[in-house]
PDB file of all heavy atoms in Angstrom:
ATOM      1  N   MET K   1       8.183 -13.413  40.420  1.00 98.00           N
ATOM      2  CA  MET K   1       8.604 -14.008  41.687  1.00 98.00           C
ATOM      3  C   MET K   1       9.042 -12.961  42.705  1.00 98.00           C
ATOM      4  O   MET K   1       9.495 -13.322  43.797  1.00 98.00           O
ATOM      5  CB  MET K   1       9.735 -15.016  41.453  1.00 98.00           C
ATOM      6  CG  MET K   1       9.334 -16.175  40.564  1.00 98.00           C
ATOM      7  SD  MET K   1      10.587 -17.483  40.527  1.00 98.00           S
ATOM      8  CE  MET K   1      10.147 -18.325  39.002  1.00 98.00           C
ATOM      9  N   ALA K   2       8.930 -11.684  42.334  1.00 97.00           N
ATOM     10  CA  ALA K   2       9.334 -10.595  43.228  1.00 97.00           C
ATOM     11  C   ALA K   2      10.753 -10.813  43.752  1.00 97.00           C
ATOM     12  O   ALA K   2      11.039 -10.671  44.932  1.00 97.00           O
ATOM     13  CB  ALA K   2       8.343 -10.444  44.389  1.00 97.00           C
ATOM     14  N   ARG K   3      11.635 -11.184  42.840  1.00 96.00           N
ATOM     15  CA  ARG K   3      13.042 -11.437  43.153  1.00 96.00           C
ATOM     16  C   ARG K   3      13.874 -10.864  42.017  1.00 96.00           C
ATOM     17  O   ARG K   3      13.564 -11.142  40.845  1.00 96.00           O
ATOM     18  CB  ARG K   3      13.286 -12.947  43.286  1.00 96.00           C
ATOM     19  CG  ARG K   3      14.723 -13.389  43.491  1.00 96.00           C
ATOM     20  CD  ARG K   3      15.259 -13.074  44.871  1.00 96.00           C
ATOM     21  NE  ARG K   3      14.432 -13.581  45.941  1.00 96.00           N
ATOM     22  CZ  ARG K   3      14.439 -14.847  46.403  1.00 96.00           C
ATOM     23  NH1 ARG K   3      15.226 -15.751  45.840  1.00 96.00           N
ATOM     24  NH2 ARG K   3      13.663 -15.196  47.418  1.00 96.00           N
ATOM     25  N   ALA K   4      14.872 -10.084  42.310  1.00 97.00           N
ATOM     26  CA  ALA K   4      15.669  -9.431  41.265  1.00 97.00           C
ATOM     27  C   ALA K   4      16.659 -10.409  40.655  1.00 97.00           C
ATOM     28  O   ALA K   4      17.875 -10.372  40.926  1.00 97.00           O
ATOM     29  CB  ALA K   4      16.398  -8.220  41.838  1.00 97.00           C
ATOM     30  N   PHE K   5      16.159 -11.340  39.822  1.00 98.00           N
ATOM     31  CA  PHE K   5      17.035 -12.304  39.168  1.00 98.00           C
ATOM     32  C   PHE K   5      17.916 -11.602  38.139  1.00 98.00           C
ATOM     33  O   PHE K   5      17.521 -10.627  37.503  1.00 98.00           O
ATOM     34  CB  PHE K   5      16.209 -13.376  38.450  1.00 98.00           C
ATOM     35  CG  PHE K   5      15.519 -14.336  39.360  1.00 98.00           C
ATOM     36  CD1 PHE K   5      14.126 -14.350  39.445  1.00 98.00           C
ATOM     37  CD2 PHE K   5      16.237 -15.227  40.131  1.00 98.00           C
ATOM     38  CE1 PHE K   5      13.484 -15.232  40.284  1.00 98.00           C
ATOM     39  CE2 PHE K   5      15.595 -16.114  40.981  1.00 98.00           C
ATOM     40  CZ  PHE K   5      14.214 -16.120  41.058  1.00 98.00           C
ATOM     41  N   GLU K   6      19.120 -12.138  37.976  1.00 98.00           N
ATOM     42  CA  GLU K   6      19.999 -11.683  36.904  1.00 98.00           C
ATOM     43  C   GLU K   6      20.403 -12.895  36.084  1.00 98.00           C
ATOM     44  O   GLU K   6      21.019 -13.830  36.601  1.00 98.00           O
ATOM     45  CB  GLU K   6      21.234 -10.983  37.474  1.00 98.00           C
ATOM     46  CG  GLU K   6      22.078 -10.319  36.402  1.00 98.00           C
ATOM     47  CD  GLU K   6      23.130  -9.374  36.947  1.00 98.00           C
ATOM     48  OE1 GLU K   6      23.088  -9.070  38.162  1.00 98.00           O
ATOM     49  OE2 GLU K   6      23.992  -8.948  36.160  1.00 98.00           O
ATOM     50  N   LEU K   7      20.022 -12.889  34.809  1.00 98.00           N
ATOM     51  CA  LEU K   7      20.351 -13.985  33.909  1.00 98.00           C
ATOM     52  C   LEU K   7      21.624 -13.626  33.154  1.00 98.00           C
ATOM     53  O   LEU K   7      21.641 -12.670  32.369  1.00 98.00           O
ATOM     54  CB  LEU K   7      19.208 -14.240  32.923  1.00 98.00           C
ATOM     55  CG  LEU K   7      17.822 -14.513  33.527  1.00 98.00           C
ATOM     56  CD1 LEU K   7      16.830 -14.875  32.421  1.00 98.00           C
ATOM     57  CD2 LEU K   7      17.880 -15.615  34.575  1.00 98.00           C
ATOM     58  N   HIS K   8      22.680 -14.379  33.392  1.00 98.00           N
ATOM     59  CA  HIS K   8      23.969 -14.131  32.760  1.00 98.00           C
ATOM     60  C   HIS K   8      24.138 -15.045  31.551  1.00 98.00           C
ATOM     61  O   HIS K   8      23.929 -16.258  31.657  1.00 98.00           O
ATOM     62  CB  HIS K   8      25.113 -14.402  33.737  1.00 98.00           C
ATOM     63  CG  HIS K   8      25.064 -13.580  34.989  1.00 98.00           C
ATOM     64  ND1 HIS K   8      25.695 -12.360  35.100  1.00 98.00           N
ATOM     65  CD2 HIS K   8      24.457 -13.804  36.186  1.00 98.00           C
ATOM     66  CE1 HIS K   8      25.491 -11.867  36.310  1.00 98.00           C
ATOM     67  NE2 HIS K   8      24.742 -12.719  36.988  1.00 98.00           N
ATOM     68  N   THR K   9      24.529 -14.485  30.430  1.00 98.00           N
ATOM     69  CA  THR K   9      24.780 -15.272  29.213  1.00 98.00           C
ATOM     70  C   THR K   9      26.155 -14.883  28.669  1.00 98.00           C
ATOM     71  O   THR K   9      26.264 -14.118  27.711  1.00 98.00           O
ATOM     72  CB  THR K   9      23.691 -15.021  28.156  1.00 98.00           C
ATOM     73  OG1 THR K   9      23.562 -13.592  27.945  1.00 98.00           O
ATOM     74  CG2 THR K   9      22.348 -15.578  28.607  1.00 98.00           C
ATOM     75  N   PRO K  10      27.221 -15.397  29.267  1.00 98.00           N
ATOM     76  CA  PRO K  10      28.577 -14.963  28.902  1.00 98.00           C
ATOM     77  C   PRO K  10      28.985 -15.304  27.479  1.00 98.00           C
ATOM     78  O   PRO K  10      29.955 -14.725  26.964  1.00 98.00           O
ATOM     79  CB  PRO K  10      29.468 -15.684  29.924  1.00 98.00           C
ATOM     80  CG  PRO K  10      28.648 -16.817  30.442  1.00 98.00           C
ATOM     81  CD  PRO K  10      27.228 -16.349  30.395  1.00 98.00           C
ATOM     82  N   LEU K  11      28.249 -16.205  26.815  1.00 97.00           N
ATOM     83  CA  LEU K  11      28.610 -16.599  25.447  1.00 97.00           C
ATOM     84  C   LEU K  11      27.767 -15.893  24.400  1.00 97.00           C
ATOM     85  O   LEU K  11      27.949 -16.144  23.197  1.00 97.00           O
ATOM     86  CB  LEU K  11      28.441 -18.117  25.273  1.00 97.00           C
ATOM     87  CG  LEU K  11      29.081 -19.028  26.322  1.00 97.00           C
ATOM     88  CD1 LEU K  11      28.901 -20.481  25.920  1.00 97.00           C
ATOM     89  CD2 LEU K  11      30.541 -18.692  26.541  1.00 97.00           C
ATOM     90  N   MET K  12      26.874 -15.012  24.811  1.00 96.00           N
ATOM     91  CA  MET K  12      25.869 -14.457  23.908  1.00 96.00           C
ATOM     92  C   MET K  12      26.460 -13.891  22.620  1.00 96.00           C
ATOM     93  O   MET K  12      25.923 -14.081  21.538  1.00 96.00           O
ATOM     94  CB  MET K  12      25.054 -13.384  24.639  1.00 96.00           C
ATOM     95  CG  MET K  12      23.948 -12.761  23.796  1.00 96.00           C
ATOM     96  SD  MET K  12      22.737 -13.963  23.145  1.00 96.00           S
ATOM     97  CE  MET K  12      21.854 -14.394  24.661  1.00 96.00           C
ATOM     98  N   TRP K  13      27.566 -13.183  22.724  1.00 96.00           N
ATOM     99  CA  TRP K  13      28.124 -12.516  21.543  1.00 96.00           C
ATOM    100  C   TRP K  13      29.446 -13.149  21.098  1.00 96.00           C
ATOM    101  O   TRP K  13      30.229 -12.518  20.384  1.00 96.00           O
ATOM    102  CB  TRP K  13      28.318 -11.024  21.829  1.00 96.00           C
ATOM    103  CG  TRP K  13      27.071 -10.380  22.337  1.00 96.00           C
ATOM    104  CD1 TRP K  13      26.852  -9.833  23.572  1.00 96.00           C
ATOM    105  CD2 TRP K  13      25.823 -10.241  21.630  1.00 96.00           C
ATOM    106  NE1 TRP K  13      25.572  -9.366  23.673  1.00 96.00           N
ATOM    107  CE2 TRP K  13      24.916  -9.585  22.519  1.00 96.00           C
ATOM    108  CE3 TRP K  13      25.397 -10.588  20.354  1.00 96.00           C
ATOM    109  CZ2 TRP K  13      23.600  -9.299  22.142  1.00 96.00           C
ATOM    110  CZ3 TRP K  13      24.089 -10.293  19.986  1.00 96.00           C
ATOM    111  CH2 TRP K  13      23.207  -9.658  20.862  1.00 96.00           C
ATOM    112  N   LEU K  14      29.682 -14.395  21.505  1.00 96.00           N
ATOM    113  CA  LEU K  14      30.922 -15.079  21.138  1.00 96.00           C
ATOM    114  C   LEU K  14      30.685 -16.088  20.018  1.00 96.00           C
ATOM    115  O   LEU K  14      29.670 -16.788  19.993  1.00 96.00           O
ATOM    116  CB  LEU K  14      31.510 -15.816  22.345  1.00 96.00           C
ATOM    117  CG  LEU K  14      31.899 -14.983  23.569  1.00 96.00           C
ATOM    118  CD1 LEU K  14      32.572 -15.878  24.601  1.00 96.00           C
ATOM    119  CD2 LEU K  14      32.799 -13.825  23.190  1.00 96.00           C
ATOM    120  N   SER K  15      31.652 -16.189  19.107  1.00 95.00           N
ATOM    121  CA  SER K  15      31.649 -17.279  18.144  1.00 95.00           C
ATOM    122  C   SER K  15      32.087 -18.546  18.867  1.00 95.00           C
ATOM    123  O   SER K  15      32.582 -18.493  20.003  1.00 95.00           O
ATOM    124  CB  SER K  15      32.615 -16.976  17.003  1.00 95.00           C
ATOM    125  OG  SER K  15      33.954 -16.966  17.495  1.00 95.00           O
ATOM    126  N   LYS K  16      31.931 -19.692  18.207  1.00 95.00           N
ATOM    127  CA  LYS K  16      32.392 -20.933  18.825  1.00 95.00           C
ATOM    128  C   LYS K  16      33.905 -20.917  19.016  1.00 95.00           C
ATOM    129  O   LYS K  16      34.423 -21.460  19.994  1.00 95.00           O
ATOM    130  CB  LYS K  16      31.973 -22.136  17.980  1.00 95.00           C
ATOM    131  CG  LYS K  16      30.595 -22.675  18.310  1.00 95.00           C
ATOM    132  CD  LYS K  16      30.576 -23.312  19.687  1.00 95.00           C
ATOM    133  CE  LYS K  16      29.235 -23.934  20.013  1.00 95.00           C
ATOM    134  NZ  LYS K  16      28.216 -22.920  20.360  1.00 95.00           N
ATOM    135  N   ALA K  17      34.621 -20.290  18.090  1.00 97.00           N
ATOM    136  CA  ALA K  17      36.075 -20.177  18.263  1.00 97.00           C
ATOM    137  C   ALA K  17      36.395 -19.355  19.501  1.00 97.00           C
ATOM    138  O   ALA K  17      37.294 -19.695  20.280  1.00 97.00           O
ATOM    139  CB  ALA K  17      36.695 -19.529  17.021  1.00 97.00           C
ATOM    140  N   ALA K  18      35.641 -18.276  19.697  1.00 97.00           N
ATOM    141  CA  ALA K  18      35.867 -17.432  20.876  1.00 97.00           C
ATOM    142  C   ALA K  18      35.481 -18.161  22.153  1.00 97.00           C
ATOM    143  O   ALA K  18      36.052 -17.903  23.217  1.00 97.00           O
ATOM    144  CB  ALA K  18      35.079 -16.133  20.736  1.00 97.00           C
ATOM    145  N   THR K  19      34.525 -19.081  22.065  1.00 97.00           N
ATOM    146  CA  THR K  19      34.153 -19.878  23.240  1.00 97.00           C
ATOM    147  C   THR K  19      35.288 -20.818  23.632  1.00 97.00           C
ATOM    148  O   THR K  19      35.588 -20.989  24.821  1.00 97.00           O
ATOM    149  CB  THR K  19      32.866 -20.663  22.965  1.00 97.00           C
ATOM    150  OG1 THR K  19      31.800 -19.744  22.706  1.00 97.00           O
ATOM    151  CG2 THR K  19      32.482 -21.537  24.150  1.00 97.00           C
ATOM    152  N   TRP K  20      35.930 -21.434  22.635  1.00 98.00           N
ATOM    153  CA  TRP K  20      37.121 -22.233  22.931  1.00 98.00           C
ATOM    154  C   TRP K  20      38.190 -21.359  23.582  1.00 98.00           C
ATOM    155  O   TRP K  20      38.850 -21.764  24.545  1.00 98.00           O
ATOM    156  CB  TRP K  20      37.685 -22.857  21.652  1.00 98.00           C
ATOM    157  CG  TRP K  20      36.960 -24.051  21.126  1.00 98.00           C
ATOM    158  CD1 TRP K  20      36.231 -24.139  19.971  1.00 98.00           C
ATOM    159  CD2 TRP K  20      36.911 -25.364  21.716  1.00 98.00           C
ATOM    160  NE1 TRP K  20      35.726 -25.414  19.823  1.00 98.00           N
ATOM    161  CE2 TRP K  20      36.130 -26.175  20.863  1.00 98.00           C
ATOM    162  CE3 TRP K  20      37.455 -25.906  22.878  1.00 98.00           C
ATOM    163  CZ2 TRP K  20      35.884 -27.523  21.147  1.00 98.00           C
ATOM    164  CZ3 TRP K  20      37.211 -27.248  23.162  1.00 98.00           C
ATOM    165  CH2 TRP K  20      36.427 -28.034  22.300  1.00 98.00           C
ATOM    166  N   GLN K  21      38.373 -20.149  23.057  1.00 97.00           N
ATOM    167  CA  GLN K  21      39.385 -19.255  23.603  1.00 97.00           C
ATOM    168  C   GLN K  21      39.049 -18.850  25.035  1.00 97.00           C
ATOM    169  O   GLN K  21      39.940 -18.741  25.885  1.00 97.00           O
ATOM    170  CB  GLN K  21      39.520 -18.008  22.723  1.00 97.00           C
ATOM    171  CG  GLN K  21      40.615 -17.050  23.169  1.00 97.00           C
ATOM    172  CD  GLN K  21      41.991 -17.680  23.157  1.00 97.00           C
ATOM    173  OE1 GLN K  21      42.408 -18.242  22.136  1.00 97.00           O
ATOM    174  NE2 GLN K  21      42.719 -17.610  24.275  1.00 97.00           N
ATOM    175  N   LEU K  22      37.761 -18.616  25.304  1.00 98.00           N
ATOM    176  CA  LEU K  22      37.350 -18.262  26.661  1.00 98.00           C
ATOM    177  C   LEU K  22      37.683 -19.396  27.629  1.00 98.00           C
ATOM    178  O   LEU K  22      38.169 -19.154  28.749  1.00 98.00           O
ATOM    179  CB  LEU K  22      35.852 -17.958  26.698  1.00 98.00           C
ATOM    180  CG  LEU K  22      35.262 -17.659  28.088  1.00 98.00           C
ATOM    181  CD1 LEU K  22      35.943 -16.456  28.730  1.00 98.00           C
ATOM    182  CD2 LEU K  22      33.752 -17.451  27.986  1.00 98.00           C
ATOM    183  N   ALA K  23      37.440 -20.632  27.205  1.00 98.00           N
ATOM    184  CA  ALA K  23      37.788 -21.771  28.058  1.00 98.00           C
ATOM    185  C   ALA K  23      39.286 -21.779  28.359  1.00 98.00           C
ATOM    186  O   ALA K  23      39.701 -22.018  29.497  1.00 98.00           O
ATOM    187  CB  ALA K  23      37.369 -23.082  27.381  1.00 98.00           C
ATOM    188  N   HIS K  24      40.088 -21.481  27.339  1.00 98.00           N
ATOM    189  CA  HIS K  24      41.535 -21.438  27.560  1.00 98.00           C
ATOM    190  C   HIS K  24      41.908 -20.297  28.498  1.00 98.00           C
ATOM    191  O   HIS K  24      42.763 -20.463  29.386  1.00 98.00           O
ATOM    192  CB  HIS K  24      42.269 -21.284  26.229  1.00 98.00           C
ATOM    193  CG  HIS K  24      43.758 -21.326  26.353  1.00 98.00           C
ATOM    194  ND1 HIS K  24      44.523 -20.194  26.521  1.00 98.00           N
ATOM    195  CD2 HIS K  24      44.629 -22.380  26.367  1.00 98.00           C
ATOM    196  CE1 HIS K  24      45.794 -20.534  26.625  1.00 98.00           C
ATOM    197  NE2 HIS K  24      45.889 -21.845  26.528  1.00 98.00           N
ATOM    198  N   ASP K  25      41.283 -19.154  28.320  1.00 97.00           N
ATOM    199  CA  ASP K  25      41.585 -18.009  29.189  1.00 97.00           C
ATOM    200  C   ASP K  25      41.240 -18.308  30.649  1.00 97.00           C
ATOM    201  O   ASP K  25      41.927 -17.853  31.570  1.00 97.00           O
ATOM    202  CB  ASP K  25      40.791 -16.778  28.732  1.00 97.00           C
ATOM    203  CG  ASP K  25      41.238 -16.260  27.371  1.00 97.00           C
ATOM    204  OD1 ASP K  25      42.338 -16.644  26.920  1.00 97.00           O
ATOM    205  OD2 ASP K  25      40.478 -15.485  26.752  1.00 97.00           O
TER     206      ASP K  25
END
């Protein structure tokens, strides 16, 4: 598409427990 897209995956290296913690943070 000749557009510098950036795909963000903030949970990529988090466990589900860490995902709950991220929500709390």
Side-chain angles (χ1 to χ4, degrees):
M1 299 190 201
R3 175 72 54 81
F5 288 113
E6 188 167 350
L7 305 185
H8 301 269
T9 52
L11 310 185
M12 182 58 72
W13 307 115
L14 299 185
S15 67
K16 272 292 183 284
T19 298
W20 283 112
Q21 183 61 53
L22 176 59
H24 184 268
D25 293 344

